[in-house]
Amino acid sequence: MKCSEMTVRDVMQTKFVSVQADTDIYEAIQIIMKKGLMGVPVVEGNRLVGVFSEKDCFTILSNWTFQMSEQMGGVVEHFMTPNVLAVEASASLSSVAGAFATNFYRGLPVLDDGELVGLVSRRDIVQAMLNEQNSQRTANYPDSKYGSNIPELS
């Protein structure tokens, strides 16, 4: 399928880690660091209420470490970003690619009827575009000496 015909649902990740708003801040930071995540969606049930990002972890810990802040704990709800840009699973891949191209987001939560159903990253879209390019190159040069010598880009 061509990327111009794809939706976010076609490339999104459906297996992801999330936390609750009342999750202990240290537990959430440990989850992000241990799993090498850029952040986690914060949910109540299946409803997205915010995002707790690696940047939030950095801000919290640097304040506590270097600013000598009195506060040394809490729950995710007090530190998360509550107003989050999310995309619909039915959104076109091109519209989301445009959002990634013009913003600093590395990933976005994906909603379907208001419920969190996945995450989509710039990498997911790059992979879809690369797959399309590879299939077009193979289709254009299937039996030629060039077709067999097309370097793999993955």
Side-chain angles (χ1 to χ4, degrees), residues 47-90:
R47 191 174 62 85
L48 179 69
V49 295
V51 167
F52 186 65
S53 70
E54 184 180 48
K55 183 177 179 183
D56 295 326
C57 297
F58 179 82
T59 301
I60 292 162
L61 291 174
S62 64
N63 282 338
W64 293 348
T65 303
F66 303 116
Q67 305 288 325
M68 307 292 194
S69 172
E70 295 292 321
Q71 186 169 357
M72 298 288 288
V75 295
V76 169
E77 182 176 29
H78 297 130
F79 300 98
M80 70 182 189
T81 303
N83 299 321
V84 178
L85 176 64
V87 296
E88 288 294 322
S90 60

Side-chain angles (χ1 to χ4, degrees), residues 2 23 38 84 102 154:
K2 291 186 172 200
T23 301
M38 60 184 146
V84 178
T102 58
S154 54

Side-chain angles (χ1 to χ4, degrees), residues 131-144:
N131 290 346
E132 181 177 324
Q133 291 296 314
N134 284 340
S135 66
Q136 285 179 1
R137 291 183 332 169
T138 302
N140 290 336
Y141 304 103
D143 297 320
S144 72

Side-chain angles (χ1 to χ4, degrees), residues 6-143:
M6 294 175 112
T7 65
V8 172
R9 185 180 314 282
D10 296 317
V11 301
M12 71 183 188
Q13 302 299 313
T14 57
K15 293 181 181 181
F16 55 90
V17 176
S18 63
V19 297
Q20 301 290 316
D22 64 354
T23 301
D24 178 79
I25 198 71
Y26 287 108
E27 181 182 345
I29 292 170
Q30 289 290 356
I31 289 169
I32 289 172
M33 297 309 295
K34 188 178 213 178
K35 296 190 176 287
L37 303 172
M38 60 184 146
V40 290
V42 182
V43 296
E44 288 181 1
N46 289 336
R47 191 174 62 85
L48 179 69
V49 295
V51 167
F52 186 65
S53 70
E54 184 180 48
K55 183 177 179 183
D56 295 326
C57 297
F58 179 82
T59 301
I60 292 162
L61 291 174
S62 64
N63 282 338
W64 293 348
T65 303
F66 303 116
Q67 305 288 325
M68 307 292 194
S69 172
E70 295 292 321
Q71 186 169 357
M72 298 288 288
V75 295
V76 169
E77 182 176 29
H78 297 130
F79 300 98
M80 70 182 189
T81 303
N83 299 321
V84 178
L85 176 64
V87 296
E88 288 294 322
S90 60
S92 70
L93 213 54
S94 63
S95 67
V96 177
F100 279 126
T102 58
N103 292 288
F104 292 108
Y105 306 120
R106 292 173 56 195
L108 294 169
V110 180
L111 305 178
D112 191 11
D113 291 328
E115 292 192 353
L116 181 66
V117 294
L119 300 174
V120 65
S121 69
R122 289 186 298 203
R123 183 176 300 260
D124 296 326
I125 297 174
V126 167
Q127 187 63 59
M129 293 184 295
L130 183 60
N131 290 346
E132 181 177 324
Q133 291 296 314
N134 284 340
S135 66
Q136 285 179 1
R137 291 183 332 169
T138 302
N140 290 336
Y141 304 103
D143 297 320

